[in-house]
Amino acid sequence: MIDKQKIKEFAEEWLAGKEYFLVDATVDQDNKITVEIDHKDGVWIEDCCELSKFIEEHLDRDVEDFELEVGSAGIGQPFKVLQQYINNIGYDVELLTAGGKKMEGNLADADAEGFTVVVTEKQKLEGKKRPQMVDVEHRFGYNDVKWVKAVIDFK
């Protein structure tokens, strides 16, 4: 079986010095290799082709046959790496907490420990008769959520 770590190393070598970043690399039991890359401005098919050729040049089909697929992380897919969170700061995201609560808000911050989402919520404020809509910051660790995705708005 082809070594997943080697595939990651090949991808990182090609990505070095480029604004792309590696999101994930997998190798299944049938040697189907899947490499996902991303870029803050989107992924170009030509770059996926170049990376695919680069990886293929480092593998030998005579030693071990494989299928190789290189593509973008995919719009609407859950974030997998910190750079995806960073690239989406200032944009709306939806998330599912580990406890099963779905939320939507604006991604305000992200770092190695977690991220902050600002959610507009109804709250009873002191001195007010009716609940008011207010922005509330929620801080999450990455283990506190099942997934986080960018909200796609076609307006």
Side-chain angles (χ1 to χ4, degrees):
M1 188 161 145
I2 294 174
D3 182 22
K4 174 181 168 177
Q5 190 56 40
K6 281 286 185 203
I7 299 302
K8 285 184 172 185
E9 289 171 13
F10 297 147
E12 291 290 359
E13 183 181 340
W14 185 84
L15 293 167
K18 297 177 177 70
E19 291 185 18
Y20 283 100
F21 57 93
L22 181 64
V23 173
D24 198 12
T26 59
V27 181
D28 71 12
Q29 68 273 13
D30 297 324
N31 275 345
K32 179 180 179 189
I33 303 165
T34 305
V35 178
E36 295 178 49
I37 59 173
D38 207 350
H39 185 284
K40 65 180 175 137
D41 296 326
V43 175
W44 294 95
I45 188 74
E46 295 84 4
D47 293 324
C48 291
C49 291
E50 281 184 36
L51 176 55
S52 179
K53 288 176 189 174
F54 182 84
I55 292 171
E56 196 159 345
E57 288 170 359
H58 288 82
L59 300 173
D60 186 351
R61 287 187 190 275
D62 293 333
V63 173
E64 200 163 18
D65 196 25
F66 60 89
E67 178 183 344
L68 176 59
E69 181 179 302
V70 175
S72 105
I75 194 163
Q77 295 298 311
F79 299 159
K80 294 181 181 177
V81 297
L82 176 58
Q83 190 62 48
Q84 290 176 296
Y85 287 85
I86 291 170
N87 288 351
N88 282 280
I89 290 174
Y91 294 99
D92 288 342
V93 295
E94 67 176 330
L95 61 95
L96 182 64
T97 68
K101 182 179 179 187
K102 209 172 199 182
M103 300 174 79
E104 187 171 317
N106 189 275
L107 183 60
D109 183 40
D111 57 35
E113 285 77 45
F115 61 97
T116 303
V117 176
V118 177
V119 179
T120 304
E121 301 175 350
K122 267 189 184 179
Q123 287 193 348
K124 179 79 170 122
L125 301 176
E126 192 175 320
K128 300 286 185 180
K129 290 184 178 184
R130 295 184 180 190
Q132 303 288 312
M133 297 301 284
V134 294
D135 288 341
V136 179
E137 285 190 1
H138 294 274
R139 179 78 181 165
F140 296 97
Y142 296 105
N143 291 330
D144 298 333
V145 295
K146 292 183 181 180
W147 52 258
V148 177
K149 302 176 186 178
V151 172
I152 310 303
D153 187 6
F154 293 102
K155 294 179 188 175

